[in-house]
Amino acid sequence: MQAEIIAVGTEILLGEIVNTNAQYVAKLLARFGIPSFYQTVVGDNPARLTETLALEEKRSDLIFLIGGLGPTPDDLTKQTLAAHLGRKLVTDQAALDKLVAWQKQINKVMPANNLAQAYYLEGGQVLTNEIGLAIGCYLVDADHHYFILPGPPREMLPMVDHQVEAKLAALTGSKQVIVSKMLRFFGIGESLLADKLADLIASQQNPTIATYIKGFEIGVRITARAGNVDTGNTLIAPVAAKVQSRLAGFYTGEGEERNLVQEVVDQLKQQHLTVTAAESLTAGEFQSELASVSGASNIFKGGFVTYSDAVKTQLLRIPAEVIAKHTVVSAPVAELMAEKSREILGADFGLGFTGVAGPDELEGQPVGTVFIALAQRDQPTKVQEFHLAGQRNEIRGRAVYSGFKLLYDRLLK
Amino acid sequence: MQAEIIAVGTEILLGEIVNTNAQYVAKLLARFGIPSFYQTVVGDNPARLTETLALEEKRSDLIFLIGGLGPTPDDLTKQTLAAHLGRKLVTDQAALDKLVAWQKQINKVMPANNLAQAYYLEGGQVLTNEIGLAIGCYLVDADHHYFILPGPPREMLPMVDHQVEAKLAALTGSKQVIVSKMLRFFGIGESLLADKLADLIASQQNPTIATYIKGFEIGVRITARAGNVDTGNTLIAPVAAKVQSRLAGFYTGEGEERNLVQEVVDQLKQQHLTVTAAESLTAGEFQSELASVSGASNIFKGGFVTYSDAVKTQLLRIPAEVIAKHTVVSAPVAELMAEKSREILGADFGLGFTGVAGPDELEGQPVGTVFIALAQRDQPTKVQEFHLAGQRNEIRGRAVYSGFKLLYDRLLK
């Protein structure tokens, strides 16, 4: 079985709306392991839609037609498919009753073309519309399966969730399930990461391996098809172990919907520890990220944004002579920022961030040079020097994540 | 001239990302009045991409190929088009230098396939990448024009704005120029904004009016076609004045590539004034946004993240009794946060942010309740109460922007 998605709508071709429906259906197909090699957008034009249908029927057997079911004269999707397949359109009585009741409610005369919303293709099955008036349709014609769905996402989504999904499960026999695991990494570029997994990726069959940029992290998703979830997990386990051991040192946790910041907050919560920071180039972004996770108040009470040298001295009591001697972009200053912030607020951890976000170099240090220090109660302070790539705010964001990585590694020790 | 857009990327077919690039290019085509009857998505697969190209060349003469320019082995768009057209790939020296410099900056060994990012098709023109490393290409081959663009939107958008648009203008004969002006607004929903402009939008011909969500701001773009730029601007001026007067109070400046944060930083610089903040629910995000603008060090020296009540008392000397009496989510606490942070750091302005980001209510106040105070040297402090919609981080972000809006209005007084 192989699928294609056709979105019908001149408004997509004009850039007025973005084709989120295709993404929604594509995700569903991926979950069922149904391959889909093309997506097409075509306008509300019967000739071009017919041409597209003819092409797709040659290469795919499962065709999604989304949009063009509405009441306006340019909504012609069902009519076009009916003509193409030589089938009649018939009226669904329940949909017609709903239309009539709705017209009564708004006290208006029904335009004739409104009736088209209650049409479906003869021999097909009605897909009811929970939200709107235009019904969908599922039709098997010779070797092809067609799903005709309404264009407005708030109508299409429930139709997919409550009706299409069950039909796909039946169609695919659903002897197989799709199981996947996402491992996340930070501090390595996507191409270098792909290099390290090149032989695994090249030889992949089941499970498959794919890499994704997820914010500042890179996700490696391992996906298996199997007769049941347990078998799927058994297939994934050795591959996941290999991936993890090859990328040891860059690992930032597991889970598609999670990120390194959440891992750190969870670890701090579990270990009943608190954190603070003094931020120069990142100027509050590390602390703001902490607070982006709900429940952060258990592990974070506050901290400092010390952008200028003078404020570093005023709020953190870092001696001006230290800054003068080492320059502000230096390991000793980062160290004092971490230690003093921790001491002043009595936190278990303190982080210090200083560096050159750009666009210009600072104190003779090139753009991207960043020192991050991690102070811990009763432990020696660790300072690490980074050379980060990108523009100003990419460097700042990477610095923040590098700080989270330092803390994460310490928390897992 | 007739255009088609091909997005290349298995991640789109799998539903992992939504094809916003196609929308962006479609909008541009619409502005130029270039018809576009199809959009296609195809995976990172040379055979299927070649097949798609062959089909599109039959029906269109302007082809956009977006995505698949990256450094991983499955990025093969340029290679596939080159083979299809029988052209060689050549290396752009400037792009290569940038690649080498970038590798040097991060002190890592360059994987071999990274070099492909500097390739373009022989006989074509390089489209430089302002953000990333993979260059684009514009090529004329017989009757066809090809634009090859990178997939990441933050790389594609500036390439389209700064290079593709000018080439399309030249291609379309450009007896007409497209002139546009973007006005930005904050603090009003998109549908209410559209309501206020409904008659202008309904009667639009030349210039046209369109609205866009731009982060937390809403942009209203007014676009005119005219014989020259001056005439275009003359057409735009009265419409812009009308839009601005209908939305007075929500205005946040002009310019597609700018935002309210930049406006505030520029105003502070021009007026030689400084700002600080004490942030509770926003936890450093206001300050981090300030520092996202290069040159912020002239107007921002540092500030406070006072997440807990105790830290508000410790760092800002806000009496615990005031917090106990009014609760922490209150106008008096916001006022003291603004005033104390300003006094301690000797800044011209101080902002205080306190509120309920959720997911749970706090101190009997519902989620979304936020108090923001603006203190100014020798002026009475202003406090405003907000009831913001959305989830935790949307509320935090809107609170930050509401603070910027308060400061912006004061600076323009």
Side-chain angles (χ1 to χ4, degrees):
Chain A
M1 179 149 284
Q2 194 167 307
E4 296 202 27
I5 302 166
I6 311 177
V8 185
T10 303
E11 64 274 32
I12 303 176
L13 294 177
L14 289 174
E16 280 155 13
I17 56 170
V18 65
N19 188 6
T20 54
N21 286 335
Q23 181 186 30
Y24 199 79
V25 172
K27 270 189 194 163
L28 180 72
L29 294 171
R31 279 212 301 284
F32 277 105
I34 300 172
S36 167
F37 297 133
Y38 302 91
Q39 292 173 6
T40 309
V41 180
V42 61
D44 299 294
N45 176 294
R48 284 190 282 271
L49 177 53
T50 304
E51 192 185 287
T52 302
L53 281 165
L55 174 68
E56 303 208 351
E57 285 161 354
K58 278 184 212 148
R59 56 192 188 192
S60 300
D61 44 10
L62 176 57
I63 293 173
F64 285 82
L65 270 165
I66 308 171
L69 311 191
T72 64
D74 61 347
D75 288 314
L76 291 165
T77 300
K78 289 175 195 167
Q79 293 84 336
T80 304
L81 182 63
H84 174 64
L85 298 176
R87 282 183 187 254
K88 271 196 277 188
L89 287 167
V90 289
T91 301
D92 177 56
Q93 190 57 47
L96 183 62
D97 293 347
K98 196 169 151 189
L99 260 170
V100 170
W102 183 79
Q103 289 292 346
K104 217 167 161 182
Q105 193 182 328
I106 61 167
N107 262 331
K108 282 187 182 151
V109 180
M110 180 165 18
N113 49 12
N114 251 12
L115 287 176
Q117 296 182 94
Y119 291 168
Y120 66 104
L121 277 80
E122 196 172 37
Q125 293 171 36
V126 168
L127 303 173
T128 56
N129 190 328
E130 297 167 32
I131 307 294
L133 297 169
I135 57 171
C137 178
Y138 166 61
L139 174 75
V140 186
D141 183 289
D143 295 335
H144 293 95
H145 300 257
Y146 301 87
F147 283 99
I148 305 161
L149 306 174
R154 58 190 213 95
E155 299 180 18
M156 193 205 74
L157 266 55
M159 197 180 283
V160 168
D161 290 349
H162 304 150
Q163 298 172 78
V164 176
E165 187 167 339
K167 292 198 188 295
L168 283 187
L171 265 181
T172 51
S174 132
K175 272 164 261 158
Q176 293 227 312
V177 295
I178 311 286
V179 188
S180 79
K181 185 198 272 278
M182 169 82 77
L183 305 175
R184 301 190 321 272
F185 301 91
F186 172 75
I188 181 171
E190 194 188 15
S191 59
L192 194 58
L193 179 145
D195 266 8
K196 284 186 186 283
L197 305 179
D199 58 316
L200 297 178
I201 292 174
S203 67
Q204 63 183 353
Q205 294 256 355
N206 187 24
T208 56
I209 302 173
T211 66
Y212 303 90
I213 306 262
K214 288 177 63 68
F216 287 110
E217 292 171 85
I218 300 177
V220 175
R221 188 194 288 134
I222 305 161
T223 307
R225 297 184 203 197
N228 58 54
V229 172
D230 284 350
T231 317
N233 283 327
T234 307
L235 286 168
I236 286 172
V239 180
K242 255 189 219 166
V243 169
Q244 231 176 310
S245 84
R246 295 217 188 157
L247 299 169
F250 303 108
Y251 184 64
T252 51
E254 190 185 316
E256 186 110 23
E257 320 260 304
R258 294 177 58 77
N259 64 33
L260 176 56
V261 180
Q262 290 168 309
E263 304 289 351
V264 166
V265 171
D266 284 358
Q267 281 297 328
L268 288 167
K269 273 191 204 167
Q270 277 168 34
Q271 300 183 34
H272 302 286
L273 296 169
T274 60
V275 63
T276 185
E279 302 185 60
S280 190
L281 86 156
T282 53
E285 192 174 337
F286 176 84
Q287 298 170 75
S288 176
E289 282 285 350
L290 276 174
S292 73
V293 180
S294 92
S297 57
N298 296 302
I299 56 93
F300 173 65
K301 308 300 174 190
F304 303 89
V305 180
T306 54
Y307 208 56
S308 72
D309 295 2
V311 170
K312 288 178 184 75
T313 300
Q314 185 189 345
L315 297 185
L316 300 175
R317 299 174 231 134
I318 296 178
E321 308 80 61
V322 174
I323 300 177
K325 183 175 170 195
H326 299 281
T327 83
V328 69
V329 181
S330 67
V333 170
E335 207 171 307
L336 282 169
M337 289 170 74
E339 288 171 357
K340 295 290 184 180
S341 64
R342 195 201 69 72
E343 281 168 31
I344 295 169
L345 293 180
D348 297 299
F349 293 102
L351 281 98
F353 296 83
T354 180
V356 191
D360 304 314
E361 61 167 40
L362 188 67
E363 308 274 7
Q365 298 271 26
V367 172
T369 308
V370 178
F371 292 88
I372 305 176
L374 173 64
Q376 183 177 0
R377 196 188 293 277
D378 305 327
Q379 296 287 332
T381 298
K382 177 178 180 173
V383 194
Q384 200 170 326
E385 180 175 349
F386 296 85
H387 295 275
L388 305 173
Q391 295 198 311
R392 179 179 180 84
N393 290 317
E394 199 164 346
I395 288 170
R396 295 176 63 233
R398 283 192 192 283
V400 165
Y401 257 68
S402 301
F404 278 110
K405 184 67 165 78
L406 276 177
L407 183 51
Y408 182 67
D409 290 345
R410 179 71 61 88
L411 285 163
L412 290 194
K413 247 185 198 162
Chain B
M1 178 151 284
Q2 195 168 306
E4 295 203 25
I5 301 166
I6 311 176
V8 185
T10 304
E11 64 273 36
I12 303 175
L13 294 176
L14 289 172
E16 278 152 14
I17 55 171
V18 65
N19 188 6
T20 54
N21 287 334
Q23 182 187 29
Y24 199 79
V25 173
K27 269 188 195 166
L28 180 72
L29 294 170
R31 279 213 302 283
F32 276 105
I34 300 170
S36 166
F37 296 134
Y38 301 92
Q39 291 173 6
T40 310
V41 179
V42 60
D44 298 294
N45 177 293
R48 285 190 283 270
L49 177 52
T50 304
E51 192 185 286
T52 302
L53 280 166
L55 174 69
E56 303 209 350
E57 284 161 355
K58 278 184 210 145
R59 56 193 187 192
S60 300
D61 43 10
L62 175 57
I63 293 174
F64 284 83
L65 269 165
I66 307 172
L69 311 191
T72 65
D74 61 347
D75 289 314
L76 290 167
T77 300
K78 289 175 195 168
Q79 292 85 335
T80 304
L81 182 63
H84 174 64
L85 298 177
R87 282 183 187 253
K88 272 196 276 189
L89 287 169
V90 289
T91 301
D92 177 55
Q93 190 59 46
L96 183 62
D97 292 348
K98 195 169 153 191
L99 261 168
V100 171
W102 184 79
Q103 290 291 347
K104 218 166 157 183
Q105 189 181 338
I106 60 167
N107 266 329
K108 281 183 183 153
V109 180
M110 177 164 24
N113 50 12
N114 252 11
L115 287 177
Q117 297 181 94
Y119 291 167
Y120 67 104
L121 277 80
E122 196 170 37
Q125 292 171 36
V126 168
L127 303 173
T128 56
N129 189 327
E130 297 167 32
I131 306 296
L133 296 170
I135 56 171
C137 179
Y138 167 60
L139 175 75
V140 186
D141 184 291
D143 294 335
H144 292 94
H145 299 258
Y146 301 88
F147 283 98
I148 306 161
L149 305 175
R154 59 191 211 91
E155 299 180 17
M156 194 206 73
L157 267 55
M159 197 179 282
V160 167
D161 289 350
H162 304 149
Q163 297 173 81
V164 176
E165 187 167 339
K167 291 196 190 297
L168 283 187
L171 264 179
T172 49
S174 142
K175 270 164 263 156
Q176 293 229 310
V177 295
I178 311 282
V179 187
S180 78
K181 186 198 271 274
M182 169 80 79
L183 305 175
R184 302 191 320 273
F185 301 90
F186 173 75
I188 180 169
E190 196 187 14
S191 60
L192 192 57
L193 179 146
D195 267 7
K196 284 185 187 281
L197 306 180
D199 58 317
L200 297 178
I201 292 173
S203 66
Q204 62 183 354
Q205 292 258 353
N206 187 25
T208 57
I209 301 173
T211 66
Y212 301 88
I213 306 263
K214 289 176 65 65
F216 288 110
E217 293 172 84
I218 300 175
V220 176
R221 190 197 282 136
I222 306 162
T223 306
R225 298 188 202 191
N228 58 56
V229 173
D230 284 350
T231 317
N233 283 328
T234 307
L235 287 167
I236 287 172
V239 180
K242 255 187 219 167
V243 169
Q244 229 176 312
S245 83
R246 294 212 189 161
L247 300 169
F250 303 109
Y251 184 63
T252 52
E254 188 184 318
E256 187 109 23
E257 322 253 307
R258 295 177 57 79
N259 63 33
L260 176 56
V261 180
Q262 290 167 309
E263 304 289 351
V264 166
V265 171
D266 284 358
Q267 281 297 329
L268 288 167
K269 272 193 204 168
Q270 277 168 33
Q271 300 183 33
H272 302 286
L273 296 169
T274 60
V275 62
T276 185
E279 302 185 59
S280 189
L281 84 156
T282 54
E285 192 175 337
F286 176 83
Q287 297 170 76
S288 177
E289 282 285 351
L290 275 175
S292 72
V293 180
S294 91
S297 57
N298 295 302
I299 56 94
F300 174 64
K301 309 299 174 190
F304 304 87
V305 180
T306 54
Y307 208 57
S308 73
D309 294 3
V311 170
K312 287 178 185 74
T313 300
Q314 185 188 346
L315 297 185
L316 301 174
R317 298 174 232 133
I318 296 178
E321 307 80 61
V322 173
I323 300 177
K325 183 175 171 197
H326 299 281
T327 81
V328 70
V329 182
S330 67
V333 169
E335 207 170 308
L336 282 170
M337 288 171 74
E339 288 170 358
K340 295 290 184 180
S341 63
R342 195 201 70 70
E343 281 167 31
I344 294 169
L345 292 180
D348 297 299
F349 293 103
L351 281 98
F353 296 83
T354 181
V356 191
D360 303 314
E361 61 165 40
L362 187 67
E363 307 275 8
Q365 298 271 25
V367 171
T369 308
V370 177
F371 291 89
I372 305 177
L374 172 64
Q376 182 176 359
R377 193 190 295 278
D378 305 326
Q379 295 287 332
T381 298
K382 176 179 180 173
V383 194
Q384 201 170 325
E385 180 174 348
F386 296 85
H387 295 276
L388 304 173
Q391 294 200 309
R392 179 179 181 84
N393 289 317
E394 198 167 347
I395 289 169
R396 296 176 64 232
R398 283 192 191 283
V400 165
Y401 256 70
S402 301
F404 277 110
K405 185 67 165 77
L406 276 178
L407 183 51
Y408 181 67
D409 290 345
R410 179 71 61 88
L411 284 164
L412 290 195
K413 249 185 197 159

